[in-house]
Amino acid sequence: NTGAAAAAPSAPAGAERRALLRAGVAGLAAVGQAAVAKEDRVATFRVELEGDDNGFGEIKVRLRPDWAPRGVKRFEQLSRIGDLEDAAVYHVTGQAAHFGLPASPSLEPAPIKDDIVRAENKRGTLTFKPSGMARVNEMFFNKEDNTWLDRQGYAPIGEVVEGMDVVDRLYAGYGKRPNRHDIKMEGNKYLDEDFPKLSKIVAVEVSA
């Protein structure tokens, strides 16, 4: 029963989440297409590799609001409310490593508008999926140059500055077999049962 798997958040947590999501959407609307002038912010991903590799690793990503202000703000929002904690890297191929669906089904933020594509989808960039894919929380690391995605609206939001070797070690044995709908409905309950070797993001911290 997939519906039973999505436990309702407690009242305080749910209220805080709704407030954060409303604030995030309002902030995104204010950004518009202009680049955001702020100092470099680095997101540190702590990753449990699992699979045949095991162990832990870190990936550091320089966020680029000058490339994709809406995507960066949503990424920071997801980090603040903990939606990336324990999230599986669920589709991994030779081209890319996809993540962003939360470990536990919960209130989902509203979709955000697309950013103009200002940077190429080269190896080492972190990219937010465009609105045609429901631009809510799904992202991927480019493991090779995928510049053909540029003209399809895929806007990179940052670039790996350390730990690309960890990206290359994310477990790829399942390819694209995990079902996105089932992940959305059941989260890690589904993945742990059917795809136990998947790498997971333990935590994400964004520098102040």
Side-chain angles (χ1 to χ4, degrees):
N1 183 351
T2 59
S10 64
E16 178 183 5
R17 185 181 192 85
R18 285 190 292 272
L20 282 168
L21 297 182
R22 284 197 297 269
V25 171
L28 289 168
V31 170
Q33 297 296 335
V36 177
K38 64 166 68 173
E39 296 179 2
D40 282 350
R41 295 173 73 88
V42 174
T44 300
F45 292 73
R46 292 183 173 83
V47 179
E48 185 176 8
L49 291 166
E50 293 290 357
D52 301 320
D53 205 333
N54 289 318
F56 292 83
E58 281 193 355
I59 305 165
K60 293 184 181 292
V61 176
R62 178 180 293 114
L63 299 176
R64 297 295 302 264
D66 54 324
W67 288 356
R70 291 186 175 114
V72 169
K73 285 187 74 73
R74 173 51 59 89
F75 173 85
E76 292 179 335
Q77 180 189 25
L78 295 173
S79 299
R80 281 199 310 275
I81 63 178
D83 269 16
L84 299 178
E85 292 180 8
D86 223 19
V89 187
Y90 53 86
H91 286 170
V92 184
T93 66
Q95 292 181 315
H98 297 249
F99 67 95
L101 296 177
S104 300
S106 57
L107 293 171
E108 186 175 88
I112 60 174
K113 293 181 179 179
D114 287 330
D115 286 293
I116 295 172
V117 178
R118 297 181 173 91
E120 294 180 314
N121 279 271
K122 290 190 173 182
R123 171 174 165 81
T125 51
L126 171 61
T127 298
F128 220 113
K129 290 187 177 180
S131 59
M133 302 288 289
R135 200 170 193 230
V136 175
N137 49 18
E138 294 186 70
M139 293 164 268
F140 58 89
F141 290 107
N142 281 297
K143 295 175 62 180
E144 61 180 34
D145 290 348
N146 293 312
T147 54
W148 56 276
L149 293 173
D150 302 348
R151 56 185 175 273
Q152 296 185 29
Y154 289 78
I157 67 169
E159 53 193 338
V160 175
V161 294
E162 185 180 321
M164 195 61 201
D165 60 314
V166 177
V167 175
D168 289 334
R169 289 161 57 200
L170 296 169
Y171 186 71
Y174 300 125
K176 292 187 175 181
R177 284 167 52 202
N179 184 282
R180 289 172 59 252
H181 174 76
D182 290 341
I183 301 171
K184 288 182 177 183
M185 293 296 101
E186 299 186 68
N188 283 3
K189 179 180 182 295
Y190 157 68
L191 293 173
D192 290 345
E193 290 176 358
D194 292 0
F195 305 97
K197 291 186 176 183
L198 286 175
S199 301
K200 290 180 181 173
I201 297 166
V202 177
V204 178
E205 293 181 3
V206 179
S207 63

